Amino acid sequence: MKKILLLTVMLTSPMVFTACGGEDESPVDDDTNPNEDMESQEALSTMNDMVNQMEELDYTMLDFDVYYADTEFEGKIKKDDNIIESEFYDPFNGEEERRGGAAFHALFPIVQDIQLDEEMTDEEAITISLEAFDIPDNFLRAQLQVIFNDGTERTFEVMEDESQVNHNNPNLDVAAMSMMNDMVNQMAELDYTMLDLDVYYADTEFEGKIKKDGNIIESEFYDSFNGQNERDSAAFVALFPIVEDLQLDAEMTDEEAIATSLEAFDIPDNYLKAKLQVIFNDGTEKNYEILQNEF
């Protein structure tokens, strides 16, 4: 996003003006980087193309999260305020972490073919989505959030018996569940049971999320500015010391909470949109959001 400052300089001294001398005028400093400006315009054009493609779907959002004992899956595609939010992580089919346009283009053909409706049971919607993405059904928890084009919102969720997970590999199950329990205990040291910071730029995005939901820890950390791209326990380990030092309270304004978080994570403030969701230990839920429209 570029804010262009138009500086009008009034030159009144006759010493500055040369009537017919034929000499070049004094050069004027211009800090504008044409390559950077072109890159920003191209990024915004790509964003607009994705917004237009979303018109072909039956949904304005589909967010599918599946948690296993030792890994997780996420596929998310969403249109919000003419900004596309998308991420794709599928360790079962070799899909490394993708964000932004790369995630959108990988997800779009799959989401386009998923046939969901608001009358489905949780089990039906989850089963269809698992089959569409070709991922295992031996999960701890699967959650599918959908916003249909008519504005209807549905959350489909299925919890499985942890004792049945990875029953063919009990050693992996025990180790993974032990690590999960350690992270649950560490969460007791924080002032929050959830902190989720999402920041969207013209050409990239940031997410830092750490959440305790029952005895399951959800964590992901994607920060292209500082070279972070982690999931699961690795994301938790990287995020925990930053979140532990964050000084937030429920009385902060949106601007205060987001500025504090950007500073803590050391990421730029030239974003399109920033969202911060926090659940404090006393159950208070806060949603801080800033949309910068100068683009």
Side-chain angles (χ1 to χ4, degrees):
M1 181 186 328
K2 301 181 65 67
K3 296 182 179 178
I4 301 174
L5 178 63
L6 180 61
L7 177 62
T8 303
V9 181
M10 299 185 65
L11 303 176
T12 58
S13 172
M15 297 293 291
V16 178
F17 181 76
T18 302
C20 300
E23 296 180 2
D24 292 338
E25 296 181 359
S26 299
V28 177
D29 290 335
D30 185 359
D31 292 333
T32 302
N33 184 335
N35 290 331
E36 182 180 338
D37 185 61
M38 183 175 296
E39 290 173 1
S40 296
Q41 292 302 318
E42 289 176 354
L44 290 172
S45 176
T46 299
M47 180 75 73
N48 290 333
D49 289 343
M50 292 189 293
V51 168
N52 292 333
Q53 277 187 271
M54 286 292 289
E55 299 298 323
E56 302 174 27
L57 299 182
D58 295 328
Y59 330 103
T60 58
M61 183 187 81
L62 188 146
D63 187 359
F64 191 33
D65 298 279
V66 189
Y67 301 95
Y68 301 83
D70 57 347
T71 191
E72 66 183 72
F73 166 97
E74 179 162 11
K76 177 181 180 181
I77 192 167
K78 180 180 182 181
K79 180 173 77 73
D80 189 20
D81 295 318
N82 285 327
I83 294 172
I84 298 299
E85 307 171 17
S86 51
E87 56 186 294
F88 192 17
Y89 177 68
D90 178 4
F92 303 103
N93 296 297
E95 289 286 354
E96 298 296 331
E97 179 86 12
R98 297 195 195 189
R99 297 270 174 158
F104 181 90
H105 295 302
L107 280 167
F108 187 82
I110 302 173
V111 174
Q112 193 175 29
D113 288 340
I114 294 179
Q115 301 296 316
L116 299 171
D117 67 68
E118 56 266 35
E119 303 303 321
M120 284 182 169
T121 66
D122 290 11
E123 290 74 13
E124 289 171 338
I126 295 293
T127 297
I128 286 173
S129 300
L130 291 171
E131 291 176 353
F133 285 102
D134 190 26
I135 58 175
D137 60 2
N138 60 334
F139 53 82
L140 297 177
R141 179 162 64 92
Q143 184 181 71
L144 174 65
Q145 296 176 288
V146 182
I147 302 177
F148 294 89
N149 283 340
D150 64 1
T152 302
E153 299 186 27
R154 281 295 313 268
T155 297
F156 308 93
E157 186 169 351
V158 176
M159 296 282 291
E160 291 291 352
D161 182 359
E162 295 179 10
S163 65
Q164 298 302 313
V165 177
N166 291 323
H167 53 81
N168 292 325
N169 192 348
N171 292 328
L172 174 62
D173 190 26
V174 170
M177 295 311 300
S178 176
M179 182 174 293
M180 182 77 73
N181 289 335
D182 288 343
M183 292 188 293
V184 167
N185 292 333
Q186 279 187 270
M187 286 291 291
E189 302 173 22
L190 299 182
D191 295 328
Y192 329 104
T193 58
M194 182 187 81
L195 188 143
D196 188 0
L197 176 64
D198 298 275
V199 189
Y200 302 94
Y201 301 85
D203 57 350
T204 189
E205 63 184 71
F206 167 98
E207 180 166 12
K209 178 181 180 180
I210 191 168
K211 179 181 181 181
K212 183 174 78 71
D213 188 4
N215 287 320
I216 296 175
I217 297 296
E218 306 172 19
S219 53
E220 55 186 296
F221 194 10
Y222 181 78
D223 175 3
S224 60
F225 303 104
N226 297 297
Q228 292 284 355
N229 185 5
E230 307 288 352
R231 288 267 177 169
D232 310 318
S233 59
F236 182 91
V237 170
L239 279 168
F240 187 83
I242 302 173
V243 175
E244 190 176 28
D245 288 341
L246 259 179
Q247 301 297 314
L248 299 172
D249 66 67
E251 302 306 316
M252 282 183 166
T253 64
D254 290 14
E255 290 76 13
E256 289 171 336
I258 286 178
T260 297
S261 301
L262 293 176
E263 184 176 352
F265 284 101
D266 189 26
I267 57 175
D269 61 4
N270 62 333
Y271 53 83
L272 302 179
K273 182 170 67 168
K275 298 191 301 182
L276 174 64
Q277 297 176 287
V278 182
I279 302 177
F280 294 90
N281 283 339
D282 64 1
T284 301
E285 297 188 27
K286 287 286 296 189
N287 289 285
Y288 310 93
E289 183 170 337
I290 297 178
L291 177 66
Q292 298 193 132
N293 289 311
E294 301 91 344
F295 63 90

